[in-house]
Amino acid sequence: MWCQSRCLTCNIWELKPKDELRLDEIQQFAKNNSSFRWVGLTGGEPFLRSDIVEVAKAFKENSKGLYLLTIPTNSLCNQEKEVAKIKEMLELRIPNVVITVSLDGNREMHDKVRGIPGNFDKAITMFKRLKELKKDYPNLSMVFGYTISRINQGNLERTYLDVKKEIPDITYNDFHINLAQLSDN
């Protein structure tokens, strides 16, 4: 539940995390439930967990059929450390690791939605770093996670064009679309 973003579409950052599973509890859960093929580690910001690699490893070691690991990032952590953690996860030899880089608009819109000035540029930098990492790790894929909400509706085309200026070979297939909803949770 930890997160450094201050999103207008989410209130996780306003909550005080409590009762999160400890690593030993996650390891026991993975041991007791060994049939997973797809594991999604989510947050908040999953890379704020110092033991995120060990969490992934628990599922890799216990789910022999594990085929897919997905993890989102807001790109606000220390990118050197985050890329090192991703590299460690890739070396676990999970067949497919997908990192979703959150991007909810063009530069101005994304920074507004996420509540962090400069977040668009950090997301672009992270995506470029992941593309470089993919050269050595064919089991890595990355997409931009675009959450459509009442705040940024109608902005996808402009976002795509702005990203294309920074990453010329980007396509619409490099975007994963989520729909935001109002909830009491």
Side-chain angles (χ1 to χ4, degrees), residues 28-118:
Q28 189 61 50
F29 176 83
K31 202 175 279 186
N32 293 343
N33 300 277
S34 60
S35 306
F36 291 108
R37 295 188 41 80
W38 177 351
V39 172
L41 303 178
T42 187
E45 172 54 57
F47 288 97
L48 287 173
R49 269 193 88 118
S50 61
D51 61 358
I52 192 70
V53 175
E54 289 79 13
V55 171
K57 186 176 182 181
F59 288 99
K60 169 60 176 164
E61 289 177 348
N62 292 288
S63 293
K64 300 305 176 205
L66 184 61
Y67 180 75
L68 176 63
L69 175 68
T70 62
I71 310 172
T73 182
N74 61 21
S75 304
L76 294 173
C77 292
N78 176 302
Q79 289 195 6
E80 291 295 324
K81 291 180 181 179
E82 186 170 337
V83 169
K85 289 177 182 182
I86 293 168
K87 186 175 178 180
E88 284 183 67
M89 285 187 230
L90 292 165
E91 290 174 358
L92 294 173
R93 304 219 184 283
I94 298 167
N96 296 288
V97 176
V98 179
I99 306 297
T100 302
V101 178
S102 299
L103 189 73
D104 296 331
N106 62 303
R107 182 174 278 106
E108 180 183 347
M109 178 62 69
H110 180 70
D111 290 0
K112 174 185 173 184
V113 170
R114 292 287 166 153
I116 304 291

Side-chain angles (χ1 to χ4, degrees), residues 102-168:
S102 299
L103 189 73
D104 296 331
N106 62 303
R107 182 174 278 106
E108 180 183 347
M109 178 62 69
H110 180 70
D111 290 0
K112 174 185 173 184
V113 170
R114 292 287 166 153
I116 304 291
N119 196 174
F120 176 91
D121 293 323
K122 289 181 180 185
I124 296 295
T125 299
M126 176 57 78
F127 200 89
K128 288 178 179 178
R129 293 183 78 159
L130 293 172
K131 284 177 65 86
E132 283 299 309
L133 192 60
K134 183 168 179 58
K135 292 176 182 176
D136 296 324
Y137 294 93
N139 58 328
L140 173 63
S141 296
M142 71 289 308
V143 293
F144 283 113
Y146 187 91
T147 300
I148 298 174
S149 70
R150 61 180 166 69
I151 301 164
N152 67 354
Q153 65 184 352
N155 194 256
L156 179 59
E157 177 75 15
R158 182 172 175 198
T159 301
Y160 170 76
L161 294 173
D162 280 4
V163 170
K164 196 153 185 71
K165 290 175 190 171
E166 303 288 334
I167 307 172

